[in-house]
Amino acid sequence: MIFAEDIINPVIRNYPCCAAWAIPVSSLATREREFFSRFFPASGTAIVLGYHIVTKDEWRWFLKEDGLHHCDADDRSKKICEEIANALGACGFRTDIVPYPGESGLQFRSVAEAAGAGRIGTNVFLLHPLWGPWIQLSVLATDAPSRYRPVCHAPVCTRCGECVLACPAGAIREDSFDGLRCGAYRAEKGEYIPAGPEKELRYCTICADVCPIGQRPWGAR
């Protein structure tokens, strides 16, 4: 029997900046299971692609002429997702790439945590054991089966409180923060700089900058 991992791994080996995990949809929490039942009813496996952010510029978002939000890490991740989907297709499996969370409504970090990619921290970033919060997540749905051997990675969030203290919006709280209040801060400060053909979006990553987990990329504070 061929598993999704058997097809994914040869693709990922070509990209040292990436890692991939697979998990049966049936092993996800109810909210995520319901999403996949709507998005791709025949899907049995969720695939998480993690792209390591090496330079801060890779995570700088722009509003381009096509009217969509882009960043280098996300654009590169999408190309690798397409390569994974094509490899699965060549083996007879159907695969769909899940649109970004703002479009799909799926919390990628929850799927990634369940698949063993890391743990969600106080600032609701998915913390990878080596890359910390500096990881761009993508998710695919496929009808290829998964071996499912999740690993609970360490270190996880130390609850040091640095992100709570550093948040310029005062939004992060251990008992209630879900990441949504960051939008209020971005709106207050102005989400983009209207200069040149591309408009730079000011997504705040201060809580990632101060996180002690993982190595900060070049260009971070």
Side-chain angles (χ1 to χ4, degrees):
M1 183 177 185
I2 187 168
F3 294 95
E5 292 89 338
D6 300 323
I7 303 168
I8 297 168
N9 290 339
V11 175
I12 295 301
R13 279 198 290 268
N14 295 321
Y15 300 97
C17 61
C18 291
W21 302 265
I23 180 173
V25 170
S26 60
S27 298
L28 296 172
T30 301
R31 181 181 57 190
E32 285 73 46
R33 288 201 311 271
E34 290 177 347
F35 169 83
F36 284 99
S37 70
R38 296 189 304 270
F39 176 74
F40 185 177
S43 64
T45 298
I47 299 169
V48 177
L49 176 71
Y51 180 96
H52 180 206
I53 307 297
V54 178
T55 71
K56 189 72 174 289
D57 285 344
E58 290 182 293
W59 228 1
R60 182 167 288 118
W61 287 83
F62 294 90
L63 183 64
K64 292 192 174 181
E65 293 178 350
D66 60 6
L68 301 176
H69 296 184
H70 292 264
C71 78
D72 288 345
D74 188 52
D75 287 346
R76 291 167 187 165
S77 295
K78 286 177 180 174
K79 291 180 180 178
I80 299 170
C81 285
E82 291 171 358
E83 192 171 337
I84 290 172
N86 290 337
L88 287 162
C91 294
F93 298 111
R94 294 174 295 165
T95 304
D96 279 345
I97 301 171
V98 180
Y100 204 67
E103 302 170 47
S104 68
L106 179 67
Q107 289 188 351
F108 287 12
R109 61 182 180 266
S110 297
V111 181
E113 182 176 56
R119 296 290 181 86
I120 296 172
T122 300
N123 64 353
V124 305
F125 278 63
L126 188 284
L127 301 182
H128 183 273
L130 299 178
W131 305 337
W134 303 102
I135 178 172
Q136 175 73 20
L137 298 173
S138 301
V139 175
L140 305 90
T142 183
D143 57 7
S146 168
R147 279 197 181 89
Y148 189 41
R149 295 175 182 172
V151 177
C152 294
H153 288 302
V156 296
C157 181
T158 62
R159 308 296 174 186
C160 66
E162 290 296 323
C163 59
V164 177
L165 295 174
C167 177
I172 302 176
R173 296 290 183 273
E174 290 234 18
D175 58 347
S176 62
F177 183 61
D178 63 2
L180 298 178
R181 288 183 63 189
C182 286
Y185 176 73
R186 293 199 306 269
E188 178 185 344
K189 299 299 181 181
E191 285 203 350
Y192 58 82
I193 302 172
E198 298 178 346
K199 297 179 179 180
E200 182 181 350
L201 301 171
R202 294 179 174 176
Y203 288 100
C204 176
T205 59
I206 291 174
C207 60
D209 293 343
V210 300
C211 181
I213 306 299
Q215 182 178 1
R216 294 183 181 89
W218 184 87
R221 304 179 182 204

